[in-house]
Amino acid sequence: MASKRANEELPIIARFEVRRRNYLAPDGAMNRPLPAFATDAKLLVELYRSMVLLRLFDRKAVALQRTGRLGTYAVSLGQEAVSVGIASAMREEDVLVPSYRDNGALLWRGVKLEEILLFWGGDERGNQSSGPVHDFPFCVPVGSQAPHAAGVAYAFKLRKQPRVAVCLFGDGATSKGDVYEAMNFAGVHKLPVVFVATNNQWAISMPLRLQTASETLAQKAIAAGFSGEQVDGCDVVAMRAAAEEAIAAARDGKGPRLIEAVTYRLGDHTTSDDALRYRSAEEVQAHWKEEPIARLRSYLVGQKMWTKADEEQLAAECHQRIEAAVERYLTTPTRRAETMFDNLYADLPEVYAAQRRELAGEDDA
């Protein structure tokens, strides 16, 4: 009893909190007043169009993979609001450091559909994209891009450039040392970087409850010395607003932020996965009620910003654009095998140079 009383008398030296951001309910109704940018009907429609394009493109990419014309592919089904909302808040001069499920962000920043297909088709030319040359390519290893983002942000601070690095990764990556080390470094040096953890509830087949005991992923920023915010990742308005605020703070020298985008992966982890082996169809069906595209469409229709005719025209435009990109991808001349070595090193080590010569059929005498 004496020990208990002593503990009760110990002073509290710090308190922390995590806030959650949401504007649109699953049915498209407003939960609270929208941010200022949401009065721009043109912007909201563009966000909607980008999410629809991404979903239809994903569907086509899966069809290509199933027919042997594309490699393993990761769809964004149910998560379209995250990458589109984040990228829409970035400036051209900022640097995107994506994971492998962030096609929406790449497309918003100017990457072509056929370039994404080239990458997933195993062609290195897919990394030589039409997006900003300073953006990073896809990162397939889990979490390894976070230290890269911290390094980019350190360079910005060193050069006194008002630019921000934006790093996206999944919930599973927050259980990796790479991510915490990057956040710790960013917090110590107050770097202009925004970390975005897409919490889609599943790290491949591992449910969130078995990979972390944290009540939120956002709170993982606290130990690194900066704030984290949880955002409804199915609400593109909330994602855009959170990104705007975090990026502006980082640009103004206020240090890093972490955004936890809570959403749900409605599809398989990749085309090599069968999610029915570890979760029920009933669970997935329940989350379809929250998905981001129908949510924003309901709001737009309710505000007289979108019509059935608009929807039909958008579907036709997306179909035409995707089919044209697929044709360009399929008719791209195949690279010679030896070119796989061309972008490995500035000066190719002899052990690889010999292999390159062998593949090229060159005389090694």
Side-chain angles (χ1 to χ4, degrees):
M1 291 296 293
S3 176
K4 182 178 179 181
R5 286 195 296 272
N7 286 336
E8 289 173 348
E9 295 169 0
L10 292 176
I12 296 172
I13 61 170
R15 293 183 186 275
F16 305 99
E17 64 181 15
V18 173
R19 293 178 180 266
R20 178 178 171 86
R21 187 188 298 260
N22 166 263
Y23 295 99
L24 297 180
D27 64 357
M30 288 191 299
N31 285 330
R32 61 193 183 97
L34 302 188
F37 71 80
T39 61
D40 184 347
K42 184 178 178 181
L43 173 58
L44 290 185
V45 167
E46 186 59 29
L47 292 171
Y48 178 74
R49 292 174 63 91
S50 295
M51 291 194 294
V52 171
L53 174 64
L54 175 57
R55 181 167 294 184
L56 296 177
F57 175 65
D58 276 353
R59 187 180 300 169
K60 184 64 177 183
V62 171
L64 291 171
Q65 191 277 333
R66 298 302 191 217
T67 53
R69 294 177 290 174
L70 195 69
T72 299
Y73 184 82
V75 300
S76 302
L77 189 62
Q79 304 175 205
E80 294 90 350
V82 179
S83 57
V84 170
I86 292 293
S88 70
M90 296 175 65
R91 292 182 183 174
E92 173 78 13
E93 65 268 24
D94 295 333
V95 171
L96 177 69
V97 187
S99 183
Y100 50 82
R101 204 187 301 275
D102 298 313
N103 288 333
L106 274 68
L107 292 173
W108 185 278
R109 288 179 65 77
V111 176
K112 296 179 180 178
L113 295 171
E114 60 266 32
E115 292 166 344
I116 294 174
L117 294 174
L118 279 171
F119 175 86
W120 292 109
D123 193 323
E124 283 293 328
R125 287 173 293 184
N127 281 328
Q128 197 171 13
S129 73
S130 300
V133 68
H134 47 260
D135 280 359
F136 277 50
F138 288 105
C139 182
V140 176
V142 175
S144 65
Q145 75 274 32
H148 302 161
V152 169
Y154 189 83
F156 291 161
K157 184 171 183 178
L158 192 66
R159 298 169 182 170
K160 295 181 171 54
Q161 295 175 328
R163 302 167 67 189
V164 178
V166 179
C167 181
L168 292 91
F169 44 75
D171 50 278
T174 67
S175 297
K176 296 288 293 293
D178 311 54
V179 170
Y180 180 70
E181 290 162 16
M183 291 200 301
N184 187 58
F185 182 80
V188 167
H189 296 284
K190 294 192 67 175
L191 300 182
V193 56
V194 175
F195 299 104
V196 182
T198 302
N199 179 4
N200 66 15
Q201 314 301 314
W202 292 93
I204 308 182
S205 60
M206 181 68 69
L208 186 69
R209 61 182 174 80
L210 293 182
Q211 62 147 311
T212 181
S214 293
E215 187 173 351
T216 69
L217 299 183
Q219 72 198 58
K220 295 192 175 189
I222 295 171
F226 54 94
S227 64
E229 178 183 16
Q230 189 178 88
V231 181
D232 184 343
C234 292
D235 178 357
V236 73
V237 174
M239 288 305 309
R240 161 88 184 211
E244 270 193 351
E245 185 178 305
I247 291 172
R251 199 183 312 280
D252 290 342
K254 298 177 182 177
R257 297 278 186 92
L258 172 63
I259 296 172
E260 175 192 358
V262 180
T263 181
Y264 191 85
R265 195 192 78 213
L266 293 172
D268 296 328
H269 175 67
T270 67
T271 51
S272 298
D273 177 42
D274 179 7
L276 289 175
R277 297 179 62 185
Y278 52 83
R279 65 184 189 185
S280 69
E282 291 76 18
E283 175 186 331
V284 177
Q285 188 60 39
H287 283 283
W288 268 101
K289 300 175 183 178
E290 305 165 356
E291 66 99 354
I293 292 179
R295 183 182 304 207
L296 182 57
R297 181 172 60 242
S298 294
Y299 174 77
L300 293 174
V301 170
Q303 297 296 312
K304 311 299 183 186
M305 298 178 183
W306 195 251
T307 66
K308 182 179 179 181
D310 292 328
E311 189 73 21
E312 292 172 349
Q313 181 179 351
L314 174 59
E317 290 175 1
C318 288
H319 175 76
Q320 182 179 18
R321 181 176 172 185
I322 291 168
E323 290 301 321
V326 169
E327 179 64 20
R328 289 191 291 271
Y329 159 65
L330 294 176
T331 57
T332 299
T334 304
R335 296 177 71 199
R336 298 187 308 276
E338 66 270 19
T339 61
M340 72 173 74
F341 295 100
D342 289 352
N343 296 295
L344 293 179
Y345 295 88
D347 297 306
L348 195 64
E350 178 55 29
V351 64
Y352 295 125
Q355 294 177 39
R356 191 188 191 286
R357 289 193 295 271
E358 180 181 354
L359 283 172
E362 298 173 359
D363 185 4
D364 200 28

